[in-house]
Every structure is written in C-alpha cells, then in structure tokens.
Amino acid sequence: MSQDSPKVAVTSLVKSFDKLPVLRDVNLEVYAGEVVVILGPSGSGKTTLLRSLNFLEQPDSGTIRVCGHGISIARGQPLSREDKQQITQLRQKTAMVFQAFNLFPHKTALENVTEGLISVRKMEKSQAIARGRALLKQVGLAEKADSYPAKLSGGQKQRVAIARGLAMEPEVIFFDEPTSALDPELRDEVLSVMRQLAGAGMTMIVVTHELRFAREVADRVIFMEGGAIVANEKPAVFFDDGASPRIKQFLNRY
C-alpha cells in the first residue's frame, strides 16, 4: 500500500439538497491499495459522498482530487471547461458498482462487459470479447457470457457489473451498497469477488452495511452521521478498542 500521495483526496466538501445539508465539511484521503469501508445510518451522507467522488452528484463547494485529477468547486460558480475535462479524465480512472446493477437489459453479460471497451476505448471487437470473457471467468461467470440479465440471479448481475467496471482498468472502484438488494447466499458470491479484488491490491471505497466484510477486509472504517465523518479508524479500533457509545449502538443494530 503506497503512502506517497492519496489516490482520493477530499477537502472541505459541502453538499445540500433543497437547503438540507447532506455533506458538512467532509475531509478524506484514501491511498493506493487501501480498502475503505463507509458505514453509517440511512441519510448520513454515505452515498452522496461516494457519488460526489466521480461527480454523479456535484458538490456545492470543496475540492476533490482522484487519481491525479482535481477539481475545486466554489459555491454558486459553474464548472469551467477545464473542470469538465478533469472530470472526464477522473471518470476514466474510476469505476462505480451500483446497488441496482445498472446493466443493459437488452445486452448479454458479455456485451455488458465489452460495451465500454468498444464504444469508449475503441478496442477491436475481437480483443474486447477476449478481455470480456477473461473478466467473466475471473468473477466466476464464464458460462453465463451469452445470458441476458433477466436470466441471471441478483448476485450474478452484480458480478457482471463488477466485471464491467474492471474492463475499463480503473485505479479506484467505488461500491455503493453492492449487496443490499441480495439475499445472504448471493451476497456471499459478491463479497467473495470483492475480497479477491482487495487481495489483489485494488483501491476500493465501499458503502455497505456488511460489518463482517468491514472487519475482515477494510484497512480503515469511516463512520458518517449527519453528513459528517465522525470516525476514521482501523477496524480493530473501530470494532473493538475505541468505539464510541454511538458507534456501539449502531453496530448493535446489525
């Protein structure tokens, strides 16, 4: 795990929806090879923070730097042309895995994985197909290459979504509640793939309620409440040694 400069750096991030504060002066750094899990109650700002990192949500103010591409946002100021170029470059270095899979229903598993390679990266179709098949094999779905999403279980859909993200060779993957729509057996399929990625050194930021995953795989656990980061600890401290009464109360619910 490199400690040279952070892969993700967030400074003084603020975001409101209809004057309701959702992120309050959030500061965070994530280094190469780190797995950072974000926990917190519903409405704490976890997903908004994650979506702000690749500008699926535009913050009101603050600075975001991801994989060497930085944008400073001033309240009330539109994004400049250079800012938009930075966002495009930032997105090319990251991947997002969503709770709802977001697969193309009219495309097979293989076509979902290769779509970005062909349309965005302009890769030769034969080369993209070879890479797509290798990635489906990596997530345990080689035999489902020609299946459409409607014929896949939730866990299989999420693994296809992970393969699709990996196809673009991201430096950082953001996971937004990747297992919350799945039953326990299917959750384990997805978490197993995520463990493999962590073991291979992928930088990951994961919003989840999977406490066992956080305890066993995370390098750091972030706890958010009321739009702010109220704890940023190693798992041993977060779960065992230094948990505040509020965090203990939260953990006892799961």
Side-chain angles (χ1 to χ4, degrees):
M1 185 170 62
S2 170
Q3 293 295 320
D4 297 338
S5 59
K7 278 285 182 188
V8 177
V10 174
T11 307
S12 303
L13 206 64
V14 173
K15 174 68 176 177
S16 297
F17 291 116
D18 296 326
K19 299 184 179 180
L20 176 68
V22 181
L23 298 177
R24 304 170 186 260
D25 193 30
V26 172
N27 298 276
L28 176 64
E29 292 185 343
V30 178
Y31 288 86
E34 273 197 304
V35 177
V36 173
V37 169
I38 304 177
L39 302 176
S42 296
S44 60
K46 308 182 299 295
T47 290
T48 301
L49 172 58
L50 199 70
R51 290 174 62 86
S52 295
L53 296 179
N54 63 357
F55 285 81
L56 291 175
E57 296 287 356
Q58 185 177 323
D60 298 332
S61 61
T63 300
I64 295 173
R65 190 166 186 82
V66 179
C67 301
H69 300 288
I71 301 96
S72 291
I73 307 105
R75 187 179 293 276
Q77 294 295 314
L79 294 175
S80 68
R81 181 178 177 183
E82 183 181 345
D83 289 337
K84 292 175 181 177
Q85 290 173 340
Q86 289 288 303
I87 291 169
T88 298
Q89 292 172 322
L90 175 160
R91 286 174 173 164
Q92 291 173 353
K93 299 288 186 71
T94 64
M96 174 78 91
V97 176
F98 299 90
Q99 175 180 342
F101 322 128
N102 287 20
L103 299 179
F104 295 111
H106 60 289
K107 293 183 180 291
T108 65
L110 180 61
E111 289 168 339
N112 268 280
V113 174
T114 59
E115 171 68 20
L117 292 174
I118 295 168
S119 64
V120 178
R121 294 288 170 88
K122 308 303 180 185
M123 186 180 285
E124 288 288 336
K125 188 172 182 179
S126 59
Q127 187 180 353
I129 288 172
R131 176 154 175 75
R133 289 191 184 280
L135 287 166
L136 287 173
K137 182 178 180 181
Q138 181 179 333
V139 299
L141 291 174
E143 77 287 357
K144 297 294 184 180
D146 297 323
S147 297
Y148 288 89
K151 298 294 185 181
L152 300 175
S153 71
Q156 290 169 338
K157 290 177 188 175
Q158 196 60 289
R159 285 186 282 157
V160 171
I162 293 171
R164 177 185 58 187
L166 291 172
M168 305 303 283
E169 298 183 309
E171 294 183 25
V172 182
I173 303 184
F174 306 129
F175 291 87
D176 184 17
E177 300 274 15
T179 61
S180 63
L182 307 177
D183 66 36
E185 185 177 352
L186 302 182
R187 285 203 299 266
D188 287 344
E189 295 177 4
V190 175
L191 291 171
S192 175
V193 172
M194 292 171 66
R195 283 185 168 90
Q196 291 171 21
L197 294 176
M202 176 60 72
T203 308
M204 298 159 57
I205 303 178
V206 185
V207 170
T208 186
H209 289 294
E210 299 285 352
L211 300 186
R212 183 177 171 189
F213 178 86
R215 184 188 286 270
E216 295 176 355
V217 181
D219 295 290
R220 280 186 290 133
V221 179
I222 305 293
F223 187 76
M224 293 188 69
E225 189 160 49
I229 292 175
V230 297
N232 181 350
E233 306 284 359
K234 291 188 177 298
V237 175
F238 184 88
F239 287 103
D240 302 319
D241 301 334
S244 68
R246 173 65 186 103
I247 291 172
K248 289 178 180 175
Q249 180 189 39
F250 173 83
L251 296 175
N252 286 339
R253 291 176 50 211
Y254 292 93

